[in-house]
Every structure is written in C-alpha cells, then in structure tokens.
Amino acid sequence: ETGVTQSPTHLIKTRGQQVTLRCSSQSGHNTVSWYQQALGQGPQFIFQYYREEENGRGNFPPRFSGLQFPNYSSELNVNALELDDSALYLCASSEKGRDYEQYFGPGTRLTVT
Amino acid sequence: EDQVTQSPEALRLQEGESSSLNCSYTVSGLRGLFWYRQDPGKGPEFLFTLYSAGEEKEKERLKATLTKKESFLHITAPKPEDSATYLCAVKAAGNKLTFGGGTRVLVKP
C-alpha cells in the first residue's frame, strides 16, 4: 500500500507568478483535501475534492483552485502569487465515509520572493 | 466558527518525565477529534481519532482522552524520539479539519 505523495518537494516562485502542486492519493482513497501551513502554525483547510468535484472550501480566495482526476490524484493551482502564500502545502487523502481520518503527504514547501 | 486552542505552545521534558498536552475546542456538533504528530519539514502523521466524551485511545507511550470541551494527550515516560509537534484537530459539520496551533515537545536525554 503506497502512501500519499506530493511533488515537487520545494519550489521558489516570484510574486505574481502561477504555481501548480501535485498530489497522489493513498491507494483506495477517493477524497483529497488541501491545507496551507504557515511556519509555526497549524494547517488551514483550503478545499476538498470528491469524485472530481469541489466538496467544501475554506476561507481562501478564488485564485486558489484545484482539480481531481479519475485516478483520484489532485492538483492545487495558485494564481497571482503573493508573499504571504509562502508556506508548506499539504495534501491529505481519505476514504469517503471514513473521511474523518485523513492521511497526509510530506508537503510542498513554496517560497514566494 | 470552530475553534481549537492547544497548550502549552512548547514543552521541554527530561527523558522519562511524563506530561500532558491540552486541546480545548469550541464546535457545533463534534464529529471527531484527531491527534497528529508532525516532525520538522514533514506532513502530519495520524495518531488517534476520538468521537465521544469519555473515550480513550492508547498507542505506545501516548494516551488520548476526550471530554465535552477538551482533549488531553498524555505522554508517559517519553523518549527523545517522541520529540515532535503534536497537532489537535476537530471535525464538525462540513468536510474540513480545523487544527490548533500545535504543541512543540522536546524530550532531552
């Protein structure tokens, strides 16, 4: 059984650019959630995808968007990057119906300069 | 709005010195309280889920308990490898986990 994987590990972007982060779910999981974790803080919910549709969203602006693919992998896209977007971006997968237990990937560290 | 507060923010322990971490929460209709462990630069690692007041879960030196307003994570006779940030999260209505700020635990040999 493979765990949740994310790519890339690290990324440096310039303010105003766009970025795409990728996530592969744990085997057997059909629900993917994305979180943003600033340094020294707990993760904050961005949104969740189930059956390729957004299934809940936190307090993040529309420039944060996502996709889920038929194989349950997922992408997080952020447009018009701002300095405050610098953070660890975490993907978590779960089984719908058991979506209380979310299993996290290692994260992508995004630095915006 | 769901709120989760963890205390203390940081905890320094000697190896073998037992202690407890606190997670206080305010939610409408708790559907689960979760504990995670996070090592520096890594994603959170799932530890426990608690669903109702009075419930307890144990794993090695860790024991989690739940009341109607808070949860405790007890660390018994900790070892240096227990050093990490421990995160508490709650799930109410909807599909998100709301996390606290975490407790950074350092266990010195």
Side-chain angles (χ1 to χ4, degrees):
Chain A
E1 180 180 284
T2 57
V4 179
T5 60
Q6 292 186 244
S7 63
T9 305
H10 297 90
L11 203 52
I12 300 175
K13 289 287 190 178
T14 303
R15 190 172 51 184
Q17 287 188 316
Q18 179 266 341
V19 69
T20 297
L21 310 182
R22 295 178 174 82
C23 170
S24 291
S25 302
Q26 182 167 315
S27 176
H29 288 182
N30 55 19
T31 302
V32 174
S33 302
W34 285 91
Y35 292 82
Q36 180 195 67
Q37 186 176 26
L39 204 59
Q41 297 182 19
Q44 284 198 303
F45 177 73
I46 303 175
F47 44 56
Q48 183 183 86
Y49 278 82
Y50 170 64
R51 289 188 174 177
E52 303 175 51
E53 292 195 1
E54 190 177 288
N55 190 40
R57 188 178 184 93
N59 296 325
F60 281 81
R63 60 188 184 86
F64 286 79
S65 63
L67 285 172
Q68 186 184 29
F69 300 100
N71 66 354
Y72 305 130
S73 66
S74 177
E75 287 183 353
L76 165 65
N77 298 290
V78 187
N79 293 322
L81 284 167
E82 300 177 0
L83 296 179
D84 284 349
D85 295 333
S86 296
L88 181 68
Y89 287 86
L90 296 162
C91 165
S93 73
S94 55
E95 298 176 46
K96 188 63 175 176
R98 285 190 60 80
D99 62 353
Y100 303 159
E101 295 179 6
Q102 298 185 6
Y103 294 86
F104 284 81
T108 294
R109 171 69 62 188
L110 173 64
T111 301
V112 182
T113 61
Chain B
E1 187 175 321
D2 303 338
Q3 287 194 330
V4 180
T5 303
Q6 292 188 244
S7 61
E9 290 185 2
L11 193 57
R12 294 166 66 98
L13 302 171
Q14 286 296 131
E15 184 172 1
E17 178 188 1
S18 301
S19 189
S20 295
L21 284 56
N22 178 265
C23 171
S24 298
Y25 61 90
T26 305
V27 298
S28 296
L30 180 71
R31 296 175 64 180
L33 184 140
F34 307 85
W35 284 97
Y36 287 86
R37 169 195 169 123
Q38 186 173 29
D39 293 305
K42 297 188 177 181
E45 174 190 345
F46 173 76
L47 293 174
F48 304 110
T49 309
L50 301 167
Y51 292 105
S52 56
E55 191 174 358
E56 299 182 351
K57 294 268 180 81
E58 284 189 69
K59 180 180 180 179
E60 297 181 353
R61 295 176 293 282
L62 301 176
K63 179 180 177 180
T65 62
L66 181 65
T67 72
K68 289 186 177 180
K69 294 183 179 181
E70 57 191 350
S71 176
F72 293 93
L73 184 66
H74 308 278
I75 309 179
T76 302
K79 297 182 177 182
E81 53 262 42
D82 295 321
S83 298
T85 294
Y86 291 86
L87 295 165
C88 168
V90 297
K91 187 176 189 296
N95 298 311
K96 68 173 184 178
L97 292 180
T98 300
F99 281 85
T103 295
R104 296 186 308 279
V105 175
L106 175 63
V107 182
K108 304 187 77 174

